[in-house]
Amino acid sequence: MTKQARQTTPFDVMVLGAGMVGVSTAIHLHRLGLDVALVDWKHPGGEASFGNAGIVQRNGFTPHAVPTNPQQLLGIFLKQSSAVSYDLATLVRLFPWLRRYHLASSGSSVEHYAKTVAPLRALVVQEHLDLARSTIADRFYRMGGWLHVYRSTGSFKESEIERYYARVFGVDYKELASGDVNKLEPGLKLPDLNAVHWTESCSVSNPGAVVDAFWRGYVQEGGAYFRGDARKLQNQRGSWSLECERGSITARNAVIALGSWSMDVLSKLGETYPLAVKRGYHMHFQPQAGVSLSRPVVDVENGFAMTPTDKGIRLTTGVELAERDAPPNPNVIKLARRRAEELFPLGRALQDEPWLGSRPCLPDSLPIVGASPKNKGLWFNFGHAHDGFTFGPVTGRILAELISNRTPVVDPSGFSPTRFAV
């Protein structure tokens, strides 16, 4: 190691975590004139930002609710559900959290969630496209929306609340009967499907490549990047410091954008937030010649999504309630594949083993974006649950504007860490 590499380099802000959320935050901070160091222990976009379904959701005004239908619950209990699977010990540990989650995703709480996320939803597509065009990532983006399919009339009727809020907030969609579904996506096999085409959303053909392109654009614009372990973050004399591979860095401000690993750092700093993990898997498949999808398709009842990507059809699973670092459960992807094959001929698997990642989720399904109430100069941008890829560019902009003392593009009060103050 050279003498220069061992020197301590000062910055205005260090951003810990280089997923979609962290990279977007670093870009916005740098473009606002701050000297920024982006830090991660691996290549940017290697975790949940890599493994998601690649959808930028203009819709999504209701949180993912805890199943209450007796038939659904029986399927989950018997481990025959592809929407929700569980490890019993983890389920028991998470029971108090799940109770809070259930209360926050039902009844009058749904309206609060809808009103809070609506300003974010209004901006997500444009914020993505703005970053994509400036970092040459726009080649991965495609318009055309995504498709929610329902195998039963009952589940379609249950989803009316999502369409209600879409109408309230002016989001376009189209309800499709079974014949119209196959006109839009001829590759789908089941003849009797109801569906909703969310036309204002967009998707990408390679989520990991998008984050990589954003990061490369940030570096080309002069942003600094370091390999380092965020768990070594220290607060010394009002400044944050971290030992990285190429030497130490210091900054007056530190941003925690570590997703499911955020509490690994925050718990050591006396910060307490009810962050839980929902695990998910994906695999890629090569469909038969002449059969494909033109947009992401979600089987709402069975919890999986199928997305056309540069590497074939990506099958992403529902929720697994298990410890973040526990070994993979091969039955999750097997069950999702079996359900998906009823809907679409996936064809040959292109991976020997599924990818596994973790979604960081708070009980109200909203992210934490703002300043720590306990540690001066510490800022948060984590807990995006199923929406990290979608919300990353806009919450990154909001936090950058807060740190630089500008008026945020969206009122951030609904995402304040103080809502969990005890």
Side-chain angles (χ1 to χ4, degrees), residues 71-134:
Q71 187 173 356
Q72 288 179 305
L73 291 173
L74 180 61
I76 293 170
F77 176 75
L78 296 175
K79 299 197 172 186
Q80 293 301 308
S81 169
S82 59
V84 181
S85 54
Y86 66 92
D87 165 72
L88 183 58
T90 305
L91 186 66
V92 171
R93 181 182 64 80
L94 287 178
F95 184 78
W97 185 93
L98 288 168
R99 185 174 183 276
R100 293 177 66 180
Y101 182 87
H102 173 61
L103 292 173
S105 59
S106 58
S108 61
S109 297
V110 174
E111 183 174 356
H112 170 74
Y113 176 87
K115 289 181 177 179
T116 305
V117 301
L120 296 185
R121 297 285 183 200
L123 295 173
V124 290
V125 173
Q126 190 60 51
E127 291 293 324
H128 263 269
L129 295 179
D130 286 348
L131 287 186
R133 289 169 185 141
S134 65

Side-chain angles (χ1 to χ4, degrees), residues 119-309:
L120 296 185
R121 297 285 183 200
L123 295 173
V124 290
V125 173
Q126 190 60 51
E127 291 293 324
H128 263 269
L129 295 179
D130 286 348
L131 287 186
R133 289 169 185 141
S134 65
T135 57
I136 320 179
D138 50 340
R139 65 189 185 277
F140 299 110
Y141 284 76
R142 59 198 169 203
M143 307 312 290
W146 63 325
L147 196 65
H148 285 197
V149 299
Y150 302 86
R151 301 198 191 196
S152 69
T153 302
S155 65
F156 179 74
K157 290 180 178 179
E158 288 174 4
S159 67
E160 165 58 24
I161 188 171
E162 170 67 15
R163 297 188 291 281
Y164 165 76
Y165 283 114
R167 295 191 295 271
V168 168
F169 296 113
V171 177
D172 188 39
Y173 65 89
K174 292 180 173 62
E175 295 183 9
L176 305 177
S178 56
D180 297 322
V181 175
N182 285 113
K183 290 178 183 177
L184 192 66
E185 292 293 348
L188 298 179
K189 296 193 298 184
L190 292 180
D192 298 319
L193 291 171
N194 291 305
V196 176
H197 181 199
W198 295 101
T199 57
E200 295 187 28
S201 298
C202 66
S203 61
V204 302
S205 61
N206 191 327
V210 169
V211 180
D212 181 74
F214 284 8
W215 167 68
R216 291 181 186 279
Y218 159 78
V219 173
Q220 289 168 4
E221 291 177 16
Y225 177 71
F226 294 83
R227 290 284 182 95
D229 185 347
R231 292 172 296 182
K232 297 178 181 179
L233 179 68
Q234 294 184 353
N235 189 352
Q236 297 177 338
R237 301 174 184 174
S239 179
W240 298 97
S241 65
L242 183 67
E243 185 69 31
C244 299
E245 286 185 359
R246 293 190 286 119
S248 297
I249 60 174
T250 62
R252 298 190 309 273
N253 301 284
V255 176
I256 304 299
L258 292 162
S260 298
W261 287 265
S262 296
M263 290 311 302
D264 290 19
V265 174
L266 294 180
S267 59
K268 297 178 181 179
L269 299 173
E271 303 274 0
T272 304
Y273 295 96
L275 188 72
V277 166
K278 298 177 181 179
R279 303 206 313 177
Y281 301 75
H282 83 225
M283 283 193 76
H284 291 95
F285 297 87
Q286 181 62 55
Q288 302 169 4
V291 181
S292 190
L293 297 171
S294 57
R295 59 186 51 79
V297 175
V298 176
D299 185 321
V300 176
E301 289 154 280
N302 290 292
F304 63 80
M306 297 180 292
T307 300
T309 74

